[in-house]
Amino acid sequence: MPHSVPRRRRLPLVALGLTAVLAPGLAALPASAAPRQDTESRSLSRFTGQKPDWKRCGADTPAAYQCATLKVPLDYRDPGGTAIDVAISRIEAGDPGKRRGVLLSNPGGPGGPGLDLPLYFTKTMPKSVTDRYDLIGFDPRGIGASTPVECGLTDDEKRFPRSYRPFDENVAWAKTVADKCREETGAALSHMTTRNTARDMDVLRAVLGEKKISYYGVSYGTALGSVYTQLFPRRADRFVLDSAVDPKKMWREMFQVWAPEVEPAFARWTRWTAEHSATYDLGKTPAEVSRTFWGLVKRADRDPIDVGTAKLTGTDIRGLLRREFFTVRNAAELVGMLKDAAAGKPVPDFPTEPESTDNLVSALWTVVCGDAPMPRDPKTYHRDSVRDAARYPLFGDFASTINPCAFWDRPVEPRTEVDNHVRSLIVQNEWDSQTPLSTARGMHRALKGSRLLTVDEGEGHGVVYGMSAGPANRCAEDTATSYLVTGRLPSKDVTCRVTPGVRPAQPVAPASPAFG
């Protein structure tokens, strides 16, 4: 799904990327086999032996914030072939006497740049963490200052398809995006994958002279972290996975899970809004609130509603509000605006995010489609979309519709089956719109050495270290920090109470795509 912090994403962008290691020159291992940890093998020595040329990242950034560029193989099956760039950054540990190692990070996506994360985390992570770790950021392959992928997409092509289009238009859109990416990206198309990004992380580990890495990843970054633990289990130290995907659902099923998960969120919203009827006047019972919303949807499908400078159809409303129903106050305010607009009252535009860049959206599809195969027959998507529209009326048709992966080249490696006992901490809000609690539980099952921390009644996407849209949760922050500092996981899964209130001002973290 971009994950942006602290901005709230309003538009229904979709973002989301794996397999088993190939020993150079050998056939692929089965996806479930234990991978060979051969990053330091002779075939990769020209990469692992690099010496980063660290320089100040910019004239307007602190001197301690340093950047460099690494070379990595485009195709790890052919390490003697084409090399590409990966931009890296670091801020060294604040207390050399306490230094444990390096803490890599990823902000989500796929498509999210991570080069600026060390600078961000110096403001959001406690000193007990920043004293002990060199904070390491990087733009994953294909993204930002690394060798980028750009498909030359128009603004319309960068948007996820809306179900109000005739299905044949969605098919044409999906094929156009796939064809453009194939034409513009060429041989790189098949190699901008989560698995290869995990391999890049291990090259980075070797270049930094570390035996192991620690890691913090949010949203899609949890997928990347879990793949690293599968490919390099003995090189994973302390991993914190914030707002987790289910590795078994990458990737079409992660799109589709949004449809069933919004239904209980909507029901919760109707209860809350009915309890606050004096404020929002949308109904005094959950049934009345539901009728108000669906009445606005039907009205807008007949006659689009003027909201600010936009005309919104019922389909627009469903797409725009799916995410908001997980944060009850936001949704009540927006539906109240819709009600006023339908009555002819002037209202402002709905808040929106800036248009996504070509690189961000191109990287998104390149990773998603390169990680795991999806159905090839457009009829499959049409059938599923019609079925799920009936099952899950709020978002089912969106979640199951066609995407460019239907016309993509087949992945060159099988999907990674994450199934290991690497120790890690998963932190999760109960009401997360992008990576629901059910998918965090899926990650917990896949990582059998993990502990799951759930924020009861917690809302929003992202939990700790400034990634939350709400106030910091001290219980979750303290648990994650204790693990990073001491290495001790909780003896069992943890439930934290939600922190009431409004989030204090935070520095703006790098933006990334909608899965996070």
Side-chain angles (χ1 to χ4, degrees), residues 103-395:
L103 180 67
L104 276 66
S105 54
N106 180 275
L115 202 63
D116 291 344
L117 281 178
L119 202 56
Y120 180 73
F121 287 140
T122 60
K123 301 176 178 67
T124 63
M125 284 182 170
K127 192 170 183 293
S128 58
V129 174
T130 59
D131 275 352
R132 285 170 168 80
Y133 293 95
D134 295 351
L135 302 180
I136 306 295
F138 66 102
D139 284 352
R141 58 170 54 209
I143 296 165
S146 297
T147 300
V149 293
E150 292 186 338
C151 301
L153 303 178
T154 66
D155 286 345
D156 190 58
E157 290 160 356
K158 286 185 288 187
R159 296 187 179 96
F160 200 71
R162 300 288 186 90
S163 58
Y164 63 76
R165 295 180 182 179
F167 186 72
D168 59 352
E169 289 188 18
N170 283 340
V171 173
W173 162 82
K175 188 174 188 305
T176 297
V177 172
D179 289 347
K180 279 191 168 185
C181 288
R182 187 179 297 108
E183 180 179 352
E184 294 295 324
T185 306
L189 187 71
S190 299
H191 304 295
M192 301 296 177
T193 63
T194 303
R195 177 185 285 195
N196 278 338
T197 299
R199 290 169 171 146
D200 295 343
M201 287 168 57
D202 203 58
V203 169
L204 175 54
R205 174 203 59 77
V207 166
L208 295 175
E210 301 290 334
K211 293 182 178 180
K212 294 184 176 185
I213 63 169
S214 292
Y215 178 82
Y216 170 80
V218 60
S219 194
Y220 164 78
T222 68
L224 176 59
S226 73
V227 171
Y228 187 90
T229 69
Q230 187 67 26
L231 301 187
F232 307 102
R234 291 188 295 276
R235 293 173 182 166
D237 191 7
R238 299 170 185 179
F239 273 49
V240 176
L241 306 179
D242 187 336
S243 306
V245 306
D246 184 342
K248 293 187 181 300
K249 294 185 182 297
M250 300 188 294
W251 286 112
R252 188 177 183 227
E253 294 87 346
M254 280 300 301
F255 291 134
Q256 289 179 302
V257 78
W258 287 354
E261 292 290 349
V262 75
E263 298 294 332
F266 179 79
R268 171 177 175 259
W269 172 75
T270 63
R271 294 191 297 270
W272 185 91
T273 304
E275 292 170 358
H276 295 81
S277 61
T279 301
Y280 299 103
D281 193 26
L282 296 173
K284 294 182 179 180
T285 67
E288 289 179 2
V289 173
S290 180
R291 283 195 295 271
T292 298
F293 171 75
W294 285 108
L296 290 167
V297 169
K298 292 177 182 177
R299 149 69 200 280
D301 274 333
R302 293 191 308 270
D303 181 16
I305 299 173
D306 290 316
V307 179
T309 58
K311 283 186 175 291
L312 300 184
T313 67
T315 301
D316 293 330
I317 292 168
R318 291 189 294 114
L320 288 165
L321 287 181
R322 179 206 67 86
R323 181 168 181 163
E324 303 305 328
F325 286 124
F326 289 82
T327 310
V328 289
R329 189 180 303 276
N330 290 353
E333 291 172 355
L334 293 175
V335 176
M337 285 174 56
L338 278 173
K339 183 182 176 184
D340 288 345
K345 299 178 183 179
V347 298
D349 286 314
F350 273 10
T352 61
E353 289 293 327
E355 286 290 333
S356 298
T357 65
D358 183 26
N359 176 227
L360 186 152
V361 178
S362 300
L364 184 164
W365 292 121
T366 302
V367 173
V368 168
C369 301
D371 273 356
M374 292 196 193
R376 312 288 287 183
D377 187 352
K379 293 178 182 177
T380 299
Y381 296 90
H382 185 265
R383 181 185 65 245
D384 292 352
S385 187
V386 170
R387 177 200 65 200
D388 288 347
R391 287 179 175 176
Y392 314 114
L394 193 55
F395 203 73

Side-chain angles (χ1 to χ4, degrees), residues 420-442:
N420 62 62
H421 289 80
V422 173
R423 290 163 55 82
S424 58
L425 178 67
I426 302 166
V427 293
Q428 180 72 31
N429 279 325
E430 181 179 5
W431 296 101
D432 185 324
S433 60
Q434 307 306 97
T435 54
L437 179 57
S438 64
T439 67
R441 288 170 173 162

Side-chain angles (χ1 to χ4, degrees), residues 18 31 223 226-227 229-230 247-248 250 415-420 443 445-448:
L18 313 179
S226 73
V227 171
T229 69
Q230 187 67 26
K248 293 187 181 300
M250 300 188 294
R415 181 172 71 178
T416 302
E417 298 296 332
V418 177
D419 182 8
N420 62 62
M443 179 68 82
R445 289 190 294 270
L447 298 178
K448 295 174 174 56

